[in-house]
Amino acid sequence: MAFYYTEPSRTFNEFLLIPNLTTKDCTPANVELKTPITKFNKGEQPDISLNIPFSSAVMQSVSDHNMAIALARCGGISFIFGSQSVEDQAAMVRKVKEYKAGFVVSRSNLTPEHTLKDVLELKEKTGHSTVAITGDGTPNGKLLGIVTSRDYRISRDTLDKRIQDFMTPFSSLIYGKSSLTLPEANDLIWEHKLNCLPIVDEQQNLRYLVFRKDYDAHKGNPLELLDGNKSYIVGAGINSKDYEERVPALVAAGVDILVIDASDGYSEWQRDTLQYVKSNFNVKIGAGNVVDREGFLYLVESGADFVKVGIGGGAICITREQKGIGRGQASALIEVAEAREEYYKETGIYVPICSDGGIVHDYHITLALAMGADFVMMGRYFARFDESPTKKLMIGNNFVKEFWGEGSNRARNWQRYDTGGKQGLVFEEGVDSYVPYAGGLQENLDKTISKIKSTMSNCGTKSIAEMQQNARITLVSATSLVEGGAHDVIMKESSLSGE
């Protein structure tokens, strides 16, 4: 007969944290939110960690290259949506990897024989205002000059004017040798008040460009999530259908980590996908989604570097309504976290888990971390910001942004929900909706992080690992939920109102 869980399927709304002793050094300023995203052996460090426990969801309406850049700048990670062509997704990954680096391989190059028209067309295509002029027009050809927007005036120069007639020639450039370190290169930039410093070898061949803006950006964002080349770390979502075509292109584009995005990850298709990636590429990959011990262990034993937890808890997800399948996010996370701890004790391998869905209020994030999540994945939260790829609209008297699920007819991401049947979306598991517009990402994220750190201080913990070990959590009644909010008063408007 069928197996019955006797414990109700519980949500984050049904729990509260109990304070622990807050010592004098346990202040928000001393709370560390760095967290692993890839599995590692006991006593070792993970290959990839996040500086804040946030990832944006694998959704068309949330995670493109702009969101990936903005979130990596703050210390988190985006998984660029996979419900698009392989070429378009790889191009988004490439844009993130090319956006910032200490030593940048020049990606906008022309020869002296090209014209101003070629410069303007290249700028329109790439967005780069600095063009390296090399003998053969390649990134590593002999450097003959540089063109920036200060070298020409569109109102006076003709489009057929040759570059050699208006470029800044090599003889007039301040440049560095290839043996230069990044701090030395930045010193030259500041000393000579440069925006760009070319790095050349002994034969005058261009090796790299170093930009002033990259130095400024890093100083203003100390938690930036960077790889060894000082480029932003970025993830990408894949499915279990076209992975043999998609994964090679994403790896070639420089993706740091993948995740198999599926409504139900407890499947042989995910095992096949994991084993293909692990056998052919040196790239990290997570899997999911699951809601219990069995699903977690299956994916871990199949090779997953992290496991995503949650079915049916997303703001736009109607899987539970349509199919009657899923589990309250808190219950799912608690069971998977217990299974993870048992696996760690038995094998010495720590597998991070990601809580995906069910987060309505900021304190739900802290609860998820306390219950065992190493990081959270959110869609609605990030869809509200300027950096998401959707339109900002005026509905009534309020600004909103569009937000639709990957299981909606609009997304038509049938691969995410495929169970071996007809190749198409037979019924919807997501809705097309709006979310209240909230402004820029960083300001809102800073406020959320402040709440998390304050709560962790109340719990007497200064790291996520401590929180997972020492948090005390209680169930709450329906009446205590009412008691927990403002009640029995007439509210005034407040400029500090939060989410």
Side-chain angles (χ1 to χ4, degrees), residues 48-358:
I48 305 177
S49 293
L50 303 179
N51 292 326
I52 58 172
F54 289 79
S55 63
S56 63
V58 192
M59 300 175 69
Q60 293 175 10
S61 55
V62 178
S63 296
D64 65 353
H65 56 286
N66 292 315
M67 178 61 73
I69 290 168
L71 187 50
R73 184 181 292 130
C74 296
I77 191 169
S78 288
F79 288 90
I80 291 176
F81 70 94
S83 51
Q84 58 180 319
S85 72
V86 173
E87 295 76 18
D88 287 347
Q89 188 184 22
M92 285 188 181
V93 169
R94 198 171 291 110
K95 286 178 180 178
V96 179
K97 300 306 292 185
E98 292 176 354
Y99 184 81
K100 178 176 185 312
F103 291 101
V104 180
V105 176
S106 179
R107 298 174 183 92
S108 291
N109 311 283
L110 293 171
T111 70
E113 301 303 316
H114 281 93
T115 65
L116 176 57
K117 179 182 179 182
D118 297 315
V119 172
L120 297 177
E121 289 178 348
L122 186 59
K123 182 179 179 180
E124 176 68 22
K125 179 181 178 182
T126 64
H128 300 158
S129 59
T130 299
V131 180
I133 309 304
T134 59
D136 56 5
T138 66
N140 297 123
K142 186 174 182 179
L143 183 63
L144 302 179
I146 291 285
V147 169
T148 71
S149 56
R150 293 178 297 180
D151 293 310
Y152 57 85
R153 295 181 66 179
I154 299 176
S155 60
R156 294 189 179 184
D157 293 322
T158 61
L159 292 178
D160 61 354
K161 187 175 183 178
R162 292 197 300 175
I163 287 176
Q164 66 182 19
D165 296 328
F166 64 87
M167 71 181 185
T168 301
F170 181 79
S171 59
S172 300
L173 293 175
I174 303 296
Y175 59 90
K177 293 292 187 179
S178 54
S179 58
L180 217 61
T181 65
L182 186 57
E184 290 170 338
N186 283 322
D187 287 343
L188 275 178
I189 287 175
W190 282 95
E191 179 183 348
H192 295 281
K193 300 180 181 179
L194 305 174
N195 288 322
C196 174
L197 178 72
I199 305 296
V200 299
D201 61 19
E202 296 299 326
Q203 288 73 46
Q204 198 178 309
N205 293 316
L206 178 63
R207 306 306 301 171
Y208 304 104
L209 300 174
V210 181
F211 291 95
R212 181 192 187 101
K213 65 180 179 64
D214 289 347
Y215 176 86
D216 292 339
H218 178 64
K219 289 301 179 182
N221 299 280
L223 293 179
E224 285 181 312
L225 194 63
L226 304 174
D227 63 18
N229 295 319
K230 305 295 184 182
S231 296
Y232 286 137
I233 288 177
V234 61
I238 63 171
N239 61 65
S240 57
K241 299 305 170 188
D242 66 0
Y243 56 87
E244 292 186 1
E245 175 187 3
R246 190 172 294 272
V247 173
L250 294 172
V251 171
V255 74
D256 297 283
I257 186 167
L258 303 168
V259 65
I260 310 172
D261 184 46
S263 173
D264 174 16
Y266 189 12
S267 74
E268 291 183 343
W269 291 296
Q270 289 227 356
R271 167 167 281 186
D272 290 346
T273 308
L274 286 166
Q275 292 178 344
Y276 166 80
V277 172
K278 289 295 183 180
S279 298
N280 294 281
F281 302 96
N282 182 27
V283 65
K284 304 299 181 181
I285 180 170
N289 286 16
V290 298
V291 293
D292 61 7
R293 176 188 313 272
E294 290 80 7
F296 169 80
L297 292 174
Y298 183 83
L299 294 180
V300 169
E301 290 163 0
S302 299
D305 288 296
F306 73 86
V307 173
K308 203 143 64 81
V309 178
I311 294 178
I316 42 68
C317 185
I318 54 173
T319 293
R320 297 179 194 175
E321 293 180 12
Q322 293 282 54
K323 296 166 63 175
I325 194 167
R327 195 176 191 185
Q329 188 66 15
S331 294
L333 186 56
I334 291 168
E335 180 172 327
V336 171
E338 289 175 350
R340 189 265 309 282
E341 293 307 306
E342 292 173 6
Y343 184 83
Y344 179 55
K345 290 177 180 178
E346 293 172 3
T347 66
I349 300 172
Y350 186 90
V351 182
I353 54 179
C354 169
S355 180
D356 177 19

Side-chain angles (χ1 to χ4, degrees), residues 434-452:
Y434 302 108
V435 288
Y437 169 67
L441 180 146
Q442 187 160 12
E443 179 184 356
N444 285 278
L445 194 57
D446 286 347
K447 184 184 295 184
T448 298
I449 288 173
S450 293
K451 294 179 186 178
I452 293 171

